[in-house]
Amino acid sequence: MPISPTVETGSKRKEEELSAEEDEEEAAEEEPAPKKAKVGDDGHAKPKRSDEESAEEQEQEAKAKPKSARGRRASKSAGARGKSATKKKEKEKAADEEDSEMHDGESKSKAEEDGEDLMPDVNGVSERGHIYFFYRPKIDVGPEAGVHDLDDISKFHILLLPRESETKSKHQRFRVFTIGKKRLPDRAKGGREVFWATMTKFGDNFAEFKASEAMGPVDYETKTKGKRHNEPARVAGRGHYAFFSPKPKTPSQRATHLLYYLTHPSPADIGEVQEELSIYASGSFIVQIKNPKASNPPQAGLRPEKKAQYGDDVIDEKFGGDAERGTGRRFIAPNPASMLDFQGTEMLLIPEKHEVDEILTDEKAEQEIEEESRNEAHYMSARDVLKELRLDEKTFPVTALEGNWL
């Protein structure tokens, strides 16, 4: 299918809270109060009872005393049993928690081995590869009229192909981002331009992506306007990229930079297409990904069912929880870069004025990227770039890659 995501709004989900209560048992019995002499209506003490009545009363009191003692012993015994039962429950609870932690540890170890759940931060260069910029003309903008400026463009995309040596996949991985403003944020304006972007497509096998179809022409028909035609996408730039996360002094200083050096067109051949799309010979952006639990700005973002499904474990571990409930952050740095491998990831691109070599403090990596870019710009032609993407030159002309609108 052609790459053309829809941007819509989001919402939040509910969470359950569990609470536990402990019952305490009290058992106490007071000794009977001493008996007082009975007083008659005239205010005088009543006469003493007969010896037979006194003996009967003493016998009843004698029976009552052992019964009271038994009651006290029974009460003490019940209290002891209650405390014993409470201690037993606490021991069982502690054993269950220990067992649960053991199983959690085993699950985390397995998840860590599989690389599915745990996402440890990476300090330095976390990923390198090739980057491509391309745009698609608006519907019915044909080869005769052509594209002359941003007004004739419907979509602007970034394609990333990580180096195979840095991935676990046996095939070429890929990511496709769609930029909301139909161009890159201008580095000359620094942080004043912040653009919204969305992960449109990613996968483990670029061959299955079928770029010639996804980026190719589209013909369809509507009831109101009849047959419609959408021209194929034009490749407007190619280069080397790296994700770089410097070691922060404090947690609040965490940042991930997307840096690139352009190979095509070469710095000397950059034309009006690249200037209009803000594609410089080199550039850097701070990338921040959005918490899918956080609400979107008006008229921006995806619907809840379209947003990235990280899972609660990743939301808690990386974002710190649900942003709408006040327990998590709205935006974080995508560290490691694999956090981008979720369909519907929403992000911000913030341009940086500084040169790449000022930001990428890993001198070895910076020199390698710059040298590889310079060499490929020398021995690779624009047609070689199309072949690299498995694109046919007849369908995808190299005009834009050479700096001219088409």
Side-chain angles (χ1 to χ4, degrees):
M1 291 181 61
I3 303 169
S4 55
T6 303
V7 179
E8 296 161 321
T9 58
S11 68
K12 59 183 180 181
R13 64 183 289 271
K14 294 182 179 178
E15 292 186 354
E16 295 184 350
E17 296 182 354
L18 300 176
S19 61
E21 295 182 351
E22 292 185 355
D23 296 331
E24 295 183 354
E25 193 176 63
E26 293 182 358
E29 185 176 330
E30 297 181 358
E31 289 197 20
K35 293 187 177 182
K36 295 182 180 179
K38 293 184 178 181
V39 180
D41 294 335
D42 57 355
H44 296 285
K46 289 185 177 182
K48 293 183 180 180
R49 296 186 179 184
S50 63
D51 293 339
E52 184 178 352
E53 291 177 341
S54 297
E56 185 177 354
E57 185 176 5
Q58 288 176 1
E59 184 179 355
Q60 289 178 353
E61 287 179 359
K63 290 180 179 180
K65 286 183 180 180
K67 184 176 180 180
S68 176
R70 284 198 303 272
R72 288 195 296 273
R73 285 197 297 271
S75 174
K76 291 180 181 179
S77 177
R81 285 198 303 272
K83 291 180 180 179
S84 177
T86 302
K87 288 183 180 180
K88 185 178 180 181
K89 287 180 180 179
E90 289 175 353
K91 287 182 179 180
E92 289 176 353
K93 184 178 179 181
D96 289 341
E97 289 176 351
E98 184 177 355
D99 185 60
S100 176
E101 290 176 0
M102 181 183 69
H103 286 297
D104 287 345
E106 291 174 355
S107 299
K108 288 181 180 179
S109 299
K110 186 179 185 301
E112 192 170 358
E113 290 175 2
D114 295 339
E116 295 176 354
D117 297 328
L118 298 181
M119 296 180 132
D121 288 355
V122 177
N123 295 323
V125 176
S126 60
E127 184 180 287
R128 289 171 54 181
H130 287 115
I131 186 171
Y132 303 84
F133 306 98
F134 57 99
Y135 66 87
R136 184 182 284 276
K138 285 184 176 179
I139 295 172
D140 292 337
V141 175
E144 296 80 13
V147 176
H148 301 286
D149 51 36
L150 288 177
D151 290 337
D152 297 323
I153 294 176
S154 65
K155 300 289 181 183
F156 178 69
H157 306 283
I158 295 177
L159 168 65
L160 300 181
L161 299 182
R163 293 198 307 186
E164 296 181 25
S165 60
E166 297 185 1
T167 66
K168 296 180 180 180
S169 175
K170 296 180 180 179
H171 305 285
Q172 175 63 68
R173 292 176 58 77
F174 69 93
R175 302 188 190 97
V176 180
F177 304 99
T178 300
I179 313 300
K181 294 290 186 179
K182 301 188 298 185
R183 65 175 176 85
L184 290 176
D186 193 348
R187 60 174 289 185
K189 298 178 181 180
R192 288 177 294 170
E193 279 199 335
V194 179
F195 284 3
W196 190 269
T198 306
M199 167 66 75
T200 307
K201 188 76 174 177
F202 82 95
D204 294 324
N205 193 342
F206 182 64
E208 294 180 355
F209 174 58
K210 298 180 180 179
S212 60
E213 293 183 12
M215 300 167 61
V218 179
D219 292 291
Y220 61 98
E221 190 170 349
T222 65
K223 292 181 179 180
T224 55
K225 295 188 177 182
K227 293 182 179 180
R228 309 299 300 276
H229 176 73
N230 199 183
E231 281 286 292
R234 279 76 155 119
V235 183
R238 186 261 192 195
H240 281 263
Y241 81 90
F243 279 111
F244 176 65
S245 301
K247 186 175 182 179
K249 294 181 180 178
T250 62
S252 61
Q253 293 180 328
R254 290 183 181 131
T256 295
H257 307 263
L258 170 60
L259 317 105
Y260 74 88
Y261 277 107
L262 208 62
T263 62
H264 296 78
S266 64
D269 296 327
I270 287 178
E272 57 179 341
V273 172
Q274 288 73 36
E275 291 175 358
E276 191 88 8
L277 298 174
S278 300
I279 302 174
Y280 287 78
S282 63
S284 175
F285 307 92
I286 294 175
V287 182
Q288 294 185 342
I289 57 176
K290 180 177 170 294
N291 188 334
K293 300 290 185 182
S295 59
N296 287 336
Q299 299 180 346
L302 304 175
R303 288 185 310 208
E305 66 271 17
K306 297 287 186 179
K307 291 185 177 185
Q309 302 297 318
Y310 292 116
D312 292 340
D313 53 345
V314 175
I315 294 291
D316 292 339
E317 180 184 347
K318 305 302 288 188
F319 291 93
D322 189 334
E324 290 303 294
R325 293 180 178 271
T327 59
R329 297 178 292 278
R330 293 180 62 84
F331 291 91
I332 64 169
N335 188 353
S338 57
M339 286 199 70
L340 297 169
D341 294 340
F342 291 85
Q343 191 85 10
T345 296
E346 298 169 298
M347 67 196 82
L348 297 178
L349 291 181
I350 307 169
E352 299 179 281
K353 285 187 175 181
H354 300 289
E355 297 294 334
V356 171
D357 57 358
E358 297 179 65
I359 298 170
L360 184 53
T361 54
D362 185 334
E363 294 183 4
K364 181 181 178 182
E366 191 276 328
Q367 290 174 1
E368 287 179 356
I369 294 172
E370 185 177 15
E371 185 177 353
E372 288 175 7
S373 300
R374 187 167 51 248
N375 292 339
E376 290 178 4
H378 177 70
Y379 73 77
M380 282 184 68
S381 67
R383 291 173 176 79
D384 292 331
V385 174
L386 295 181
K387 292 178 181 178
E388 188 176 54
L389 294 173
R390 300 179 177 88
L391 300 177
D392 180 14
E393 186 181 348
K394 293 181 180 179
T395 306
F396 304 90
V398 298
T399 309
L401 197 54
E402 295 173 341
N404 301 311
W405 286 114
L406 175 63

